[in-house]
Amino acid sequence: MAANNNQEQQNQLIGHKDLAHKSLLQSDALYQYILETSVFPREHESLKELRQMTEKHPRNLMATPADEGQFLRLLLKLINAKNTIEIGVYTGYSLLSTALALPNDGKILALDVNREYYDLGLPIIQKAGVEHKIDFREGPALPLLDELVKDEKNKGSYDFVFVDADKNNYLNYHKRVIELVKVGGLIGYDNTLWGGSVVAPPDAPLKDYIKHFRGFILELNKYLANDSRIEICQLPVGDGITLCRRII
């Protein structure tokens, strides 16, 4: 029996390491401890179903990790968020996390270039009873953000913006959403440590997609650090998340 238990634990660690593993912790066992002690026991049943469904998808690495989803839910409740934007949806784990955290009359403007992925998770979102909070728009986010910014009533009307999309446009997104989020509101940028590559030497053997977008992440990080309109905090949660609180 003990041998079987050890084998089960080993399989869990292997699965965690090879499947959508985005933690920057050096120890897989430590990350698994966090998940099994604090995250999975509190994970909403619909989030669990969506996570397990997404794990089977060939692009599962795009998914928001469960510990980051938990962090976002608590953060949204702490700031009493009600009106939010999400740029980059995929199958909707972070979107569902947000929807579950918002009050019944809360709203999320969800933007993604691919509705097909969103539709995979939509039945689970519907079953969770929060679809009414979501306004999904398919297509490039920048044109829609430009339209929002043109309308004065949209400026400063959002409590929270979460960005987990095309890294080459992060800075472009920032220049727009900073006008849409209210003073005192938050913007969250995902993947700002980019697999740890932000400190990799120039000749480091990086995967092509890591190498391609690394410069954009470095540019964003430098810009945010010098943006006087915000207070920032960069956290090693998931693949790195930078929180920006608008102060002016």
Side-chain angles (χ1 to χ4, degrees):
M1 179 64 72
N4 288 338
N5 288 339
N6 288 338
Q7 184 62 49
E8 287 179 8
Q9 291 176 355
Q10 185 178 15
N11 288 339
Q12 288 176 342
L13 288 175
I14 291 172
H16 152 249
K17 184 174 182 179
D18 295 340
L19 194 65
H21 173 31
K22 294 166 75 173
S23 172
L24 293 168
L25 289 173
Q26 294 299 306
S27 166
D28 278 351
L30 182 57
Y31 184 55
Q32 195 73 16
Y33 172 82
I34 293 171
L35 292 176
E36 294 181 355
T37 303
S38 303
V39 179
F40 291 159
R42 297 294 189 98
E43 187 178 34
H44 190 281
E45 196 61 35
S46 294
L47 284 170
K48 178 181 179 181
E49 184 180 357
L50 182 54
R51 172 173 56 81
Q52 292 177 338
M53 181 273 289
T54 304
E55 285 174 352
K56 300 171 185 175
H57 193 274
R59 305 191 72 178
N60 61 60
L61 194 62
M62 292 168 57
T64 299
D67 56 324
E68 186 174 352
Q70 183 187 58
F71 171 72
L72 291 174
R73 292 195 302 279
L74 184 59
L75 182 67
L76 288 159
K77 291 178 180 179
L78 286 171
I79 66 172
N80 295 313
K82 188 174 180 179
N83 197 27
T84 74
I85 299 175
E86 179 156 335
I87 304 173
V89 173
Y90 186 41
T91 59
Y93 191 90
S94 58
L95 180 63
L96 180 54
S97 296
T98 299
L100 289 168
L102 296 185
N104 192 53
D105 60 344
K107 296 296 179 185
I108 311 163
L109 178 60
L111 314 176
D112 200 290
V113 294
N114 192 325
R115 186 179 181 100
E116 180 183 348
Y117 293 151
Y118 171 65
D119 284 342
L120 291 175
L122 184 56
I124 299 172
I125 291 172
Q126 292 170 332
K127 187 165 63 173
V130 293
E131 184 192 9
H132 67 282
K133 301 180 186 180
I134 299 168
D135 177 11
F136 181 86
R137 310 280 186 92
E138 183 179 24
L142 287 175
L144 180 55
L145 293 174
D146 285 336
E147 287 300 313
L148 289 175
V149 170
K150 287 179 184 177
D151 191 339
E152 288 295 323
K153 71 178 182 181
N154 291 323
K155 293 184 177 181
S157 66
Y158 291 90
D159 305 303
F160 181 74
V161 180
F162 184 59
V163 183
D164 183 11
D166 43 333
K167 314 310 171 192
N168 52 307
N169 271 317
Y170 267 29
L171 192 51
N172 290 324
Y173 293 142
H174 182 71
K175 292 176 180 178
R176 290 156 174 81
V177 300
I178 190 65
E179 295 190 53
L180 297 171
V181 74
K182 70 180 184 182
V183 173
L186 293 177
I187 308 167
Y189 291 100
D190 202 17
N191 307 116
T192 58
L193 295 177
W194 204 225
S197 68
V198 290
V199 294
D203 58 346
L206 303 174
K207 293 181 179 179
D208 288 343
Y209 80 95
I210 293 287
K211 186 182 299 184
H212 177 73
F213 291 110
R214 177 177 176 269
F216 295 108
I217 294 296
L218 289 170
E219 181 184 21
L220 173 80
N221 289 340
K222 183 177 181 179
Y223 187 94
L224 296 180
N226 291 283
D227 190 342
S228 61
R229 299 168 295 179
I230 57 175
E231 296 174 322
I232 70 168
C233 180
Q234 191 169 27
L235 300 168
V237 176
D239 191 25
I241 180 171
T242 300
L243 296 178
C244 309
R245 177 178 179 267
R246 183 181 173 185
I247 56 176
I248 58 173

